[in-house]
PDB file of all heavy atoms in Angstrom:
ATOM      1  N   SER B 989     -65.098  13.180  -0.266  1.00 89.00           N
ATOM      2  CA  SER B 989     -66.418  13.145   0.321  1.00 89.00           C
ATOM      3  C   SER B 989     -66.369  12.739   1.791  1.00 89.00           C
ATOM      4  O   SER B 989     -65.446  11.966   2.114  1.00 89.00           O
ATOM      5  CB  SER B 989     -67.340  12.200  -0.492  1.00 89.00           C
ATOM      6  OG  SER B 989     -67.597  12.758  -1.685  1.00 89.00           O
ATOM      7  N   PRO B 990     -67.323  13.088   2.561  1.00 91.00           N
ATOM      8  CA  PRO B 990     -68.373  14.021   2.235  1.00 91.00           C
ATOM      9  C   PRO B 990     -67.846  15.468   2.233  1.00 91.00           C
ATOM     10  O   PRO B 990     -66.884  15.815   2.883  1.00 91.00           O
ATOM     11  CB  PRO B 990     -69.310  13.863   3.466  1.00 91.00           C
ATOM     12  CG  PRO B 990     -68.541  13.377   4.609  1.00 91.00           C
ATOM     13  CD  PRO B 990     -67.391  12.598   3.939  1.00 91.00           C
ATOM     14  N   GLN B1005     -68.701  21.240  17.072  1.00 85.00           N
ATOM     15  CA  GLN B1005     -68.853  21.542  18.451  1.00 85.00           C
ATOM     16  C   GLN B1005     -67.932  20.905  19.445  1.00 85.00           C
ATOM     17  O   GLN B1005     -67.669  21.354  20.505  1.00 85.00           O
ATOM     18  CB  GLN B1005     -70.340  21.300  18.845  1.00 85.00           C
ATOM     19  CG  GLN B1005     -71.270  22.346  18.280  1.00 85.00           C
ATOM     20  CD  GLN B1005     -72.681  22.156  18.772  1.00 85.00           C
ATOM     21  OE1 GLN B1005     -72.905  21.342  19.653  1.00 85.00           O
ATOM     22  NE2 GLN B1005     -73.533  22.981  18.241  1.00 85.00           N
ATOM     23  N   SER B1070     -52.270  37.567  28.650  1.00 95.00           N
ATOM     24  CA  SER B1070     -52.486  36.140  28.542  1.00 95.00           C
ATOM     25  C   SER B1070     -53.864  35.890  28.049  1.00 95.00           C
ATOM     26  O   SER B1070     -54.829  36.649  28.270  1.00 95.00           O
ATOM     27  CB  SER B1070     -52.393  35.520  29.987  1.00 95.00           C
ATOM     28  OG  SER B1070     -53.202  36.187  30.845  1.00 95.00           O
ATOM     29  N   PRO B1071     -53.983  34.779  27.197  1.00 96.00           N
ATOM     30  CA  PRO B1071     -55.273  34.527  26.522  1.00 96.00           C
ATOM     31  C   PRO B1071     -56.478  34.183  27.289  1.00 96.00           C
ATOM     32  O   PRO B1071     -56.341  33.399  28.272  1.00 96.00           O
ATOM     33  CB  PRO B1071     -54.897  33.426  25.551  1.00 96.00           C
ATOM     34  CG  PRO B1071     -53.659  32.793  26.104  1.00 96.00           C
ATOM     35  CD  PRO B1071     -52.992  33.790  26.978  1.00 96.00           C
ATOM     36  N   ALA B1091     -59.847  18.972  10.104  1.00 95.00           N
ATOM     37  CA  ALA B1091     -58.412  19.037  10.382  1.00 95.00           C
ATOM     38  C   ALA B1091     -57.919  20.492  10.639  1.00 95.00           C
ATOM     39  O   ALA B1091     -57.068  20.708  11.449  1.00 95.00           O
ATOM     40  CB  ALA B1091     -57.710  18.541   9.098  1.00 95.00           C
ATOM     41  N   VAL B1117     -63.923  31.727  -1.681  1.00 93.00           N
ATOM     42  CA  VAL B1117     -62.555  31.452  -1.310  1.00 93.00           C
ATOM     43  C   VAL B1117     -62.462  31.080   0.164  1.00 93.00           C
ATOM     44  O   VAL B1117     -63.255  31.755   0.918  1.00 93.00           O
ATOM     45  CB  VAL B1117     -61.623  32.606  -1.684  1.00 93.00           C
ATOM     46  CG1 VAL B1117     -61.971  33.847  -0.935  1.00 93.00           C
ATOM     47  CG2 VAL B1117     -60.093  32.236  -1.328  1.00 93.00           C
ATOM     48  N   LEU B1162     -41.283  24.721  -0.579  1.00 92.00           N
ATOM     49  CA  LEU B1162     -41.509  25.020  -1.964  1.00 92.00           C
ATOM     50  C   LEU B1162     -40.521  24.309  -2.876  1.00 92.00           C
ATOM     51  O   LEU B1162     -40.843  23.947  -3.986  1.00 92.00           O
ATOM     52  CB  LEU B1162     -41.529  26.592  -2.186  1.00 92.00           C
ATOM     53  CG  LEU B1162     -42.585  27.380  -1.567  1.00 92.00           C
ATOM     54  CD1 LEU B1162     -42.302  28.817  -1.553  1.00 92.00           C
ATOM     55  CD2 LEU B1162     -43.916  27.063  -2.267  1.00 92.00           C
ATOM     56  N   LEU B1170     -29.174  18.683   4.091  1.00 93.00           N
ATOM     57  CA  LEU B1170     -29.493  18.921   5.413  1.00 93.00           C
ATOM     58  C   LEU B1170     -29.799  17.626   6.182  1.00 93.00           C
ATOM     59  O   LEU B1170     -30.309  16.710   5.465  1.00 93.00           O
ATOM     60  CB  LEU B1170     -30.630  19.853   5.714  1.00 93.00           C
ATOM     61  CG  LEU B1170     -30.489  21.281   5.121  1.00 93.00           C
ATOM     62  CD1 LEU B1170     -31.597  22.084   5.602  1.00 93.00           C
ATOM     63  CD2 LEU B1170     -29.143  21.923   5.516  1.00 93.00           C
ATOM     64  N   VAL B1191     -42.427  33.894  27.545  1.00 98.00           N
ATOM     65  CA  VAL B1191     -41.497  34.891  27.889  1.00 98.00           C
ATOM     66  C   VAL B1191     -42.084  35.707  29.009  1.00 98.00           C
ATOM     67  O   VAL B1191     -41.308  36.277  29.835  1.00 98.00           O
ATOM     68  CB  VAL B1191     -41.180  35.772  26.691  1.00 98.00           C
ATOM     69  CG1 VAL B1191     -40.404  37.033  27.019  1.00 98.00           C
ATOM     70  CG2 VAL B1191     -40.351  34.977  25.642  1.00 98.00           C
ATOM     71  N   LEU B1195     -40.114  37.531  32.101  1.00 96.00           N
ATOM     72  CA  LEU B1195     -39.823  38.999  32.066  1.00 96.00           C
ATOM     73  C   LEU B1195     -40.325  39.705  33.295  1.00 96.00           C
ATOM     74  O   LEU B1195     -39.525  40.479  33.900  1.00 96.00           O
ATOM     75  CB  LEU B1195     -40.603  39.492  30.829  1.00 96.00           C
ATOM     76  CG  LEU B1195     -40.602  41.031  30.627  1.00 96.00           C
ATOM     77  CD1 LEU B1195     -39.189  41.557  30.366  1.00 96.00           C
ATOM     78  CD2 LEU B1195     -41.579  41.451  29.505  1.00 96.00           C
ATOM     79  N   MET B1211     -42.982  44.379  20.534  1.00 96.00           N
ATOM     80  CA  MET B1211     -43.961  43.890  19.621  1.00 96.00           C
ATOM     81  C   MET B1211     -43.445  42.517  19.103  1.00 96.00           C
ATOM     82  O   MET B1211     -42.356  42.090  19.506  1.00 96.00           O
ATOM     83  CB  MET B1211     -44.183  44.851  18.404  1.00 96.00           C
ATOM     84  CG  MET B1211     -42.991  45.113  17.564  1.00 96.00           C
ATOM     85  SD  MET B1211     -43.489  46.243  16.092  1.00 96.00           S
ATOM     86  CE  MET B1211     -44.442  45.138  15.071  1.00 96.00           C
ATOM     87  N   LEU B1217     -38.104  40.985  11.330  1.00 97.00           N
ATOM     88  CA  LEU B1217     -37.326  41.556  12.407  1.00 97.00           C
ATOM     89  C   LEU B1217     -37.122  43.058  12.164  1.00 97.00           C
ATOM     90  O   LEU B1217     -37.245  43.933  13.021  1.00 97.00           O
ATOM     91  CB  LEU B1217     -36.016  40.861  12.533  1.00 97.00           C
ATOM     92  CG  LEU B1217     -34.917  41.376  13.524  1.00 97.00           C
ATOM     93  CD1 LEU B1217     -35.561  41.486  14.930  1.00 97.00           C
ATOM     94  CD2 LEU B1217     -33.724  40.522  13.528  1.00 97.00           C
ATOM     95  N   ALA B1220     -40.202  45.024  12.872  1.00 97.00           N
ATOM     96  CA  ALA B1220     -40.473  45.205  14.244  1.00 97.00           C
ATOM     97  C   ALA B1220     -39.653  46.301  14.876  1.00 97.00           C
ATOM     98  O   ALA B1220     -40.186  47.207  15.547  1.00 97.00           O
ATOM     99  CB  ALA B1220     -40.186  43.876  15.016  1.00 97.00           C
ATOM    100  N   GLU B1235     -26.674  45.471  15.791  1.00 98.00           N
ATOM    101  CA  GLU B1235     -25.353  44.874  15.412  1.00 98.00           C
ATOM    102  C   GLU B1235     -25.674  43.546  14.777  1.00 98.00           C
ATOM    103  O   GLU B1235     -26.156  42.608  15.376  1.00 98.00           O
ATOM    104  CB  GLU B1235     -24.492  44.713  16.706  1.00 98.00           C
ATOM    105  CG  GLU B1235     -23.232  43.828  16.509  1.00 98.00           C
ATOM    106  CD  GLU B1235     -22.322  44.301  15.350  1.00 98.00           C
ATOM    107  OE1 GLU B1235     -22.105  45.531  15.235  1.00 98.00           O
ATOM    108  OE2 GLU B1235     -21.776  43.459  14.694  1.00 98.00           O
ATOM    109  N   PRO B1243     -28.927  27.584  12.433  1.00 86.00           N
ATOM    110  CA  PRO B1243     -27.523  27.185  12.136  1.00 86.00           C
ATOM    111  C   PRO B1243     -27.225  26.896  10.718  1.00 86.00           C
ATOM    112  O   PRO B1243     -26.138  27.180  10.245  1.00 86.00           O
ATOM    113  CB  PRO B1243     -27.438  25.877  12.969  1.00 86.00           C
ATOM    114  CG  PRO B1243     -28.868  25.471  13.357  1.00 86.00           C
ATOM    115  CD  PRO B1243     -29.629  26.707  13.374  1.00 86.00           C
ATOM    116  N   GLN B1247     -26.310  26.991   4.114  1.00 91.00           N
ATOM    117  CA  GLN B1247     -26.284  25.900   3.098  1.00 91.00           C
ATOM    118  C   GLN B1247     -27.474  25.973   2.103  1.00 91.00           C
ATOM    119  O   GLN B1247     -27.545  25.167   1.124  1.00 91.00           O
ATOM    120  CB  GLN B1247     -26.346  24.575   3.823  1.00 91.00           C
ATOM    121  CG  GLN B1247     -25.140  24.237   4.652  1.00 91.00           C
ATOM    122  CD  GLN B1247     -25.316  22.879   5.319  1.00 91.00           C
ATOM    123  OE1 GLN B1247     -25.758  21.895   4.742  1.00 91.00           O
ATOM    124  NE2 GLN B1247     -24.899  22.802   6.606  1.00 91.00           N
ATOM    125  N   LEU B1271     -35.810  47.336  26.700  1.00 96.00           N
ATOM    126  CA  LEU B1271     -35.863  47.571  28.206  1.00 96.00           C
ATOM    127  C   LEU B1271     -34.394  47.929  28.595  1.00 96.00           C
ATOM    128  O   LEU B1271     -33.452  47.672  27.788  1.00 96.00           O
ATOM    129  CB  LEU B1271     -36.449  46.477  28.949  1.00 96.00           C
ATOM    130  CG  LEU B1271     -35.732  45.094  28.914  1.00 96.00           C
ATOM    131  CD1 LEU B1271     -36.431  44.134  29.973  1.00 96.00           C
ATOM    132  CD2 LEU B1271     -35.749  44.381  27.619  1.00 96.00           C
ATOM    133  N   SER B1286     -30.808  31.104  22.089  1.00 94.00           N
ATOM    134  CA  SER B1286     -31.340  31.695  20.885  1.00 94.00           C
ATOM    135  C   SER B1286     -31.877  33.134  21.099  1.00 94.00           C
ATOM    136  O   SER B1286     -32.268  33.800  20.208  1.00 94.00           O
ATOM    137  CB  SER B1286     -32.385  30.803  20.183  1.00 94.00           C
ATOM    138  OG  SER B1286     -33.489  30.616  21.175  1.00 94.00           O
ATOM    139  N   ALA B1294     -31.419  54.436  20.081  1.00 98.00           N
ATOM    140  CA  ALA B1294     -30.601  55.576  20.017  1.00 98.00           C
ATOM    141  C   ALA B1294     -31.398  56.847  19.738  1.00 98.00           C
ATOM    142  O   ALA B1294     -32.621  56.767  19.328  1.00 98.00           O
ATOM    143  CB  ALA B1294     -29.598  55.285  18.873  1.00 98.00           C
ATOM    144  N   GLN B1320     -45.675  43.792   2.154  1.00 55.00           N
ATOM    145  CA  GLN B1320     -46.832  44.670   1.901  1.00 55.00           C
ATOM    146  C   GLN B1320     -47.970  43.756   1.419  1.00 55.00           C
ATOM    147  O   GLN B1320     -47.840  42.943   0.527  1.00 55.00           O
ATOM    148  CB  GLN B1320     -46.514  45.678   0.756  1.00 55.00           C
ATOM    149  CG  GLN B1320     -45.518  46.811   1.298  1.00 55.00           C
ATOM    150  CD  GLN B1320     -46.227  47.741   2.254  1.00 55.00           C
ATOM    151  OE1 GLN B1320     -47.455  48.108   2.106  1.00 55.00           O
ATOM    152  NE2 GLN B1320     -45.508  48.270   3.279  1.00 55.00           N
TER     153      GLN B1320
END
Side-chain angles (χ1 to χ4, degrees):
Chain B
S989 289
Q1005 282 188 7
S1070 54
V1117 59
L1162 292 169
L1170 301 188
V1191 170
L1195 172 67
M1211 62 179 286
L1217 175 56
E1235 168 58 37
Q1247 294 181 42
L1271 67 169
S1286 61
Q1320 286 290 324

